[in-house]
Amino acid sequence: MRTKKMQSILAELNDSSADIDASAIISTEGLMLASVISGEVSEDRAGAVMASISSLADRAMREFQLGSLEQLVMKGHNGYALMIQAGEYAALIVIGYGDGPEWSLALLRSIPAAGAISDLLTPGFGWSMEGPVGIPQGSI
């Protein structure tokens, strides 16, 4: 049930802009919870890489006394990757291929989606730091 809701949020986000090519929800441990990613990108590798980058960025934020990480923007010659915290235990990843300022519009469209994902994964509703708790397999 939750997986379908998360997939729906991701599909709606991807459809909201031609500049968004892929999106995913990963746990803080790098577990892929849901994704709308092309076949060219390894979901497992993407989840692990983004969790590692998120951990390092969060460490830097705390070292600089800026608080915990909320958003991360990575821009390269061929596109961008955004990471937006979606509650305490997950993050929304958004990827776009292009060389313009599309990432700023994608970020604005992604913030409400991250909020909706956070609501789905709120502790007390079958989610803990260790992962799904007491939920039938396939429902998240």
Side-chain angles (χ1 to χ4, degrees):
M1 176 93 156
R2 287 187 195 194
T3 299
K4 288 182 182 180
K5 287 182 182 178
M6 288 189 284
Q7 287 292 135
S8 175
I9 291 168
L10 295 178
E12 186 175 331
L13 176 61
N14 286 19
D15 290 344
S16 74
S17 173
D19 301 319
I20 298 175
D21 295 301
S23 59
I25 303 165
I26 62 166
S27 71
T28 52
E29 294 83 21
L31 175 67
M32 189 68 65
L33 302 177
S35 69
V36 178
I37 296 179
S38 70
E40 299 173 11
V41 177
S42 164
E43 289 185 359
D44 293 337
R45 190 173 301 165
V49 167
M50 290 307 287
S52 295
I53 291 170
S54 173
S55 177
L56 288 172
D58 189 58
R59 179 191 246 168
M61 295 290 290
R62 292 176 192 276
E63 183 66 29
F64 300 138
Q65 299 178 354
L66 298 172
S68 60
L69 180 66
E70 294 178 11
Q71 300 171 358
L72 178 65
V73 176
M74 295 182 289
K75 175 80 174 82
H77 293 289
N78 297 328
Y80 64 87
L82 308 174
M83 191 225 52
I84 301 137
Q85 284 302 125
E88 192 173 346
Y89 306 112
L92 170 63
I93 308 302
V94 177
I95 298 170
Y97 300 101
D99 58 0
E102 305 88 11
W103 67 268
S104 59
L105 295 174
L107 179 61
L108 291 174
R109 289 185 171 99
S110 300
I111 292 170
I117 293 161
S118 176
D119 291 346
L120 284 174
L121 301 177
T122 300
F125 292 97
W127 187 259
S128 77
M129 197 154 170
E130 290 78 35
V133 178
I135 298 175
Q137 190 169 10
S139 63
I140 142 169

